[in-house]
Amino acid sequence: MKADVDNSQLNVSSPASLLVIRGPNIGVRFELGVRTRIGRDTSNEIALADPNVSRLHAEIVRERFAYIIRDCGSANGVFVNGVAVQEKQLLRNDEIQIGNTVFLFNPELRIENAIFSNSSAVFYPGDAVTQQIAAETPTLELPSGRDRVLVEFLVKLGDALSQAPLGTSGVGTRILEHLSELFDANRTALFLRDHRTGKPRLVLSLPDGEAMFIERSSIMRAFEERLPVLASDRPENLSRIPLAGHDEGAFSSRRELQAGLTLMCAPVISGDSAIGVLVVSKLGTDRYSLKDLALLQAIAKLVGIALRGAQLADYLELHPLPSSAGWQVVPSRNQHVRALFEQAKRVAATDASVVITGESGTGKEVLARFIHESSPRRQCPFVALNCGAIPPTLFESELFGYERGAFTGAVRTTRGKIEAAHGGTLFLDEIGNLDLSLQPKLLRFLQERAFYRVGGTRPIEADVRIIAATNEDLETAVKEGRFREDLWYRLNVVCFHMPSLAQRREDIAPLAEFFLQKAGERSGKTILGLDDSALRVLERYPWPGNIRELANAIERAVILAERQVITEKDFAFLNRESVRMQPETAARRKEEIVPLEEMEREHILRALRKYDWNQAKAAEALRIHRNTLRNKMIEYGIQRPSEH
């Protein structure tokens, strides 16, 4: 027997040891002497307080270049690599089971610092032992047993990670399914870092729809310290995630309470930070060993890049590349609108629900985006959903998402708008068109901040700010029974009303310049601007479609324009419609009572235009001092249009 021939054997010049990889003393290392006795009696060199262990169970004896283990007449036997033995020469990495304790002989276990919650021991890797290369060329052997299972697992995992990312739900489900099979687990779970709180948040668990035990401190420790954790504890010391509608202990069977739980947690690392935690659990104490923990840690490192890619795929789905039109808040010259945006900025600092009312096309979504961008949630998604554009039969799955197999065509689990907007803002446009049968479900989410996917049984929490918009009078809808009163009160914490474009005509010029620039960029034309005749047409037009109609009119004029300056002729289509609508508009204006300052502003504008913006002549015609005219122009934000 020569030490330089077989590198599996121990060179006696280096110390030999046993590492406990499973059992009450997990992580403890025992150095071996010339004769090491193992048993229940405290006089043994390795004493195991285990009723399944005899007083003198076994001994390990050093004989020249090897260590021999012998069964000393034990009642329950000695097992090496799962086989009962009476006497056997030990090789490196042999597993020795005595009672409920499993040792690893002279281990080469590759694992970073690990934490064990069921004992105070903390395991650190031993010093590297130089191995002598065998002189003989080893023969190739096909893997069998546990090695074959690991090879098959790596092939399956490689196939799963090599496919195009389907988002966090798709990639995470594949990983958990393979982990359940590899570790024969009762539960597997994936926690990912919440982009708002920075703490790990449960995103997936298998089997789906079943409650599970978790040990929260172990998960937090694995995440914060980026170390694998092996916990073995009783259920009464654990925190349980129950199904909604059931009591905390409703699923605690007598078998579970007696069996206990073994939990493995491995941090998922991307770059220098932890993005999540993989969790594998099995009923019963001491069900997993250090070798299992090392394997889970290696898998967590492998899947880190795949999960990060899945998160990026989710982000790109929720944040598509902005269109050329984009969105931007154009500074208003109207005092009421300026005050409205100032109030919105103050409200943005809170999480209060907001309702924005106003005619269609007045910029309600622009105000909603302004609130989002001015809030602490600006780094999280802004998700918009039109309640009137989706049929009631599809709206629930669009809002809450659905599980795989929930209905025909549901081939994979899909997140809804609420889950997609987690941490950010959900904008519900045209909330007044929401079907009456769906309103209680939205109200329940607003009250509990949790929801169920269609076909799902597990509640999902979501931290979302709700901003709703409508062009209807919801108070009237409540009185008529078309909108729930409790939902209206829940949404209407803060209410803003966007005025029509006809009520803020001083903003027509800056809005027109903004839309002109964007339309020129999209069409590839060099447009210098609007002349006075074109601006007069825009300011006289009633704009029943508000800002949206103004943007479309500018777009049409730029596309059909033959010159670099837009003139009155380019808005001929507006002149015809304006003439047709003028009688109705004039009649309506006579009946309306408009604010005095608005009438004064329009009167000053007419005087300035009549005298070609000569302030001295306009002031003389108005019979006021020139300084008074200048102060009024500053007060009402009246400026002479730029000349091109």
Side-chain angles (χ1 to χ4, degrees):
M1 190 182 306
K2 296 181 180 180
D4 59 350
V5 174
D6 191 349
N7 68 345
S8 296
Q9 299 182 21
L10 176 70
N11 185 347
V12 294
S13 61
S14 61
S17 64
L18 295 181
L19 173 67
V20 181
I21 64 172
R22 182 184 297 171
N25 298 316
I26 188 169
V28 177
R29 185 186 296 268
F30 297 97
E31 300 293 337
L32 298 179
V34 176
R35 180 171 181 263
T36 303
R37 296 170 299 170
I38 305 172
R40 193 174 72 250
D41 197 289
T42 55
S43 63
N44 295 307
E45 285 75 17
I46 300 178
L48 303 177
D50 185 348
N52 296 317
V53 177
S54 302
R55 292 185 177 277
L56 176 59
H57 200 102
E59 65 177 5
I60 299 177
V61 180
R62 187 177 72 182
E63 294 184 358
R64 298 186 64 191
F65 300 106
Y67 281 83
I68 308 296
I69 187 169
R70 297 191 181 99
D71 189 336
C72 297
S74 65
N76 295 318
V78 176
F79 296 84
V80 177
N81 298 326
V83 179
V85 298
Q86 291 298 319
E87 181 175 319
K88 185 183 183 302
Q89 177 183 327
L90 294 177
L91 304 178
R92 190 181 300 275
N93 292 323
D94 274 349
E95 287 189 13
I96 305 168
Q97 182 172 355
I98 296 178
N100 293 323
T101 301
V102 178
F103 301 92
L104 199 63
F105 174 71
N106 199 33
E108 285 182 335
L109 190 62
R110 295 184 179 273
I111 184 172
E112 296 177 3
N113 301 350
I115 304 168
F116 313 103
S117 68
N118 59 333
S119 69
S120 301
V122 178
F123 170 72
Y124 296 91
D127 297 333
V129 179
T130 304
Q131 297 183 2
Q132 297 181 352
I133 301 177
E136 300 177 354
T137 303
T139 58
L140 181 64
E141 296 182 1
L142 294 176
S144 59
R146 180 66 172 174
D147 293 336
R148 184 180 182 88
V149 172
L150 293 179
V151 171
E152 292 177 349
F153 169 79
L154 290 176
V155 172
K156 293 179 181 179
L157 185 63
D159 292 340
L161 300 182
S162 63
Q163 300 180 23
L166 297 176
T168 305
S169 179
V171 175
T173 300
R174 292 173 181 172
I175 294 172
L176 295 186
E177 288 175 347
H178 294 319
L179 288 179
S180 297
E181 181 180 355
L182 176 66
F183 292 106
D184 189 27
N186 295 108
R187 301 284 189 276
T188 55
L190 172 64
F191 289 76
L192 289 178
R193 181 177 56 208
D194 189 291
H195 45 252
R196 178 165 169 80
T197 64
K199 297 181 180 180
R201 171 175 174 261
L202 179 65
V203 295
L204 285 171
S205 65
L206 292 181
D208 191 20
E210 295 186 14
M212 67 177 297
F213 285 112
I214 62 169
E215 213 283 308
R216 296 184 184 276
S217 61
S218 296
I219 295 172
M220 288 300 300
R221 197 168 185 184
F223 180 78
E224 294 175 351
E225 301 183 22
R226 294 187 295 174
L227 298 176
V229 175
L230 181 59
S232 186
D233 214 333
R234 312 299 295 184
E236 55 265 26
N237 299 326
L238 304 175
S239 300
R240 188 180 183 86
I241 299 180
L243 294 177
H246 297 81
D247 296 333
E248 185 76 13
F251 291 90
S252 300
S253 65
R254 181 169 298 180
R255 172 173 168 266
E256 288 177 323
L257 292 174
Q258 292 175 347
L261 186 76
T262 303
L263 190 78
M264 292 193 298
C265 308
V268 180
I269 308 295
S270 177
D272 296 330
S273 61
I275 64 170
V277 179
L278 284 178
V279 180
V280 175
S281 66
K282 190 173 179 66
L283 291 176
T285 55
D286 300 325
R287 290 302 184 96
Y288 292 124
S289 70
L290 281 182
K291 294 180 70 175
D292 298 317
L293 186 63
L295 179 59
L296 181 63
Q297 183 186 28
I299 294 170
K301 290 183 176 180
L302 288 175
V303 304
I305 296 177
L307 285 172
R308 184 58 179 159
Q311 288 182 315
L312 292 176
D314 289 339
Y315 180 87
L316 292 176
E317 181 181 353
L318 299 175
H319 299 79
L321 294 176
S323 62
S324 56
W327 81 276
Q328 182 177 337
V329 177
V330 180
S332 175
R333 297 176 181 174
N334 183 278
Q335 291 183 344
H336 174 71
V337 176
R338 287 202 301 266
L340 186 148
F341 273 84
E342 285 297 326
Q343 294 173 7
K345 184 179 292 187
R346 292 194 293 270
V347 171
T350 70
D351 283 336
S353 299
V354 177
V355 172
I356 305 174
T357 62
E359 297 178 9
S360 179
T362 53
K364 296 188 290 293
E365 184 171 348
V366 172
L367 179 59
R369 286 184 178 273
F370 175 80
I371 295 174
H372 172 74
E373 293 296 332
S374 303
S375 72
R377 299 173 178 266
R378 67 178 68 90
Q379 300 298 330
C380 300
F382 176 90
V383 179
L385 180 63
N386 192 316
C387 300
I390 303 174
T393 54
L394 301 178
F395 186 84
E396 184 177 1
S397 59
E398 186 73 16
L399 183 63
F400 300 115
Y402 54 86
E403 298 287 349
R404 181 176 60 182
F407 50 82
T408 304
V411 295
R412 63 186 178 95
T413 300
T414 302
R415 299 194 304 171
K417 298 297 185 184
I418 290 180
E419 194 171 357
H422 175 71
T425 302
L426 177 63
F427 176 61
L428 298 176
D429 197 9
E430 304 301 342
I431 189 70
N433 294 333
L434 182 63
D435 190 82
L436 195 60
S437 62
L438 298 171
Q439 294 178 20
K441 298 180 180 180
L442 177 60
L443 176 63
R444 184 177 181 85
F445 166 72
L446 292 174
Q447 292 173 339
E448 301 181 0
R449 296 296 173 179
F451 65 94
Y452 294 85
R453 295 193 188 115
V454 176
T457 57
R458 178 173 62 88
I460 301 173
E461 295 181 355
D463 177 19
V464 176
R465 183 199 194 134
I466 300 294
I467 299 180
T470 180
N471 57 6
E472 291 190 9
D473 185 353
L474 289 186
E475 292 185 355
T476 302
V478 169
K479 294 177 182 178
E480 296 176 353
R482 293 183 289 108
F483 200 86
R484 290 181 62 103
E485 184 178 14
D486 47 3
L487 178 58
W488 164 243
Y489 290 137
R490 177 68 66 171
L491 291 172
N492 189 32
V493 178
V494 179
C495 184
F496 295 115
H497 178 75
M498 290 295 293
S500 65
L501 188 56
Q503 296 173 322
R504 45 185 292 200
R505 289 187 175 276
E506 58 268 52
D507 286 339
I508 292 177
L511 287 170
E513 293 288 348
F514 171 76
F515 293 136
L516 195 69
Q517 177 187 355
K518 295 298 182 182
E521 293 173 357
R522 285 193 296 271
S523 62
K525 290 184 176 182
T526 302
I527 302 297
L528 299 179
L530 299 164
D531 68 359
D532 289 345
S533 64
L535 190 57
R536 283 195 295 270
V537 170
L538 296 180
E539 290 181 341
R540 285 200 305 262
Y541 186 70
W543 300 113
N546 294 296
I547 299 176
R548 186 180 294 116
E549 185 183 6
L550 174 62
N552 293 337
I554 296 292
E555 181 95 20
R556 177 176 173 181
V558 169
I559 293 174
L560 300 177
E562 299 177 354
R563 303 179 184 85
Q564 292 182 335
V565 176
I566 304 298
T567 66
E568 180 180 9
K569 295 180 181 179
D570 296 311
F571 292 108
F573 59 92
L574 286 183
N575 285 334
R576 288 193 296 269
E577 296 179 13
S578 180
V579 170
R580 177 175 56 83
M581 297 177 63
Q582 190 64 31
E584 179 186 353
T585 303
R588 187 175 69 248
R589 296 283 294 181
K590 288 181 180 179
E591 295 177 359
E592 290 181 355
I593 303 298
V594 298
L596 184 60
E597 62 179 20
E598 183 178 335
M599 293 184 64
E600 185 178 25
R601 185 183 186 283
E602 291 183 0
H603 192 56
I604 292 173
L605 275 172
R606 284 198 298 271
L608 288 169
R609 292 189 187 118
K610 180 177 180 180
Y611 294 101
D612 196 21
W613 290 87
N614 187 315
Q615 296 181 16
K617 292 182 179 181
E620 184 180 354
L622 293 170
R623 297 182 182 180
I624 60 176
H625 194 276
R626 185 175 179 178
N627 290 340
T628 303
L629 176 60
R630 287 178 179 174
N631 292 335
K632 289 290 185 181
M633 291 176 65
I634 294 174
E635 179 182 354
Y636 296 135
I638 300 175
Q639 297 179 2
R640 182 172 184 172
S642 57
E643 297 180 357
H644 302 284

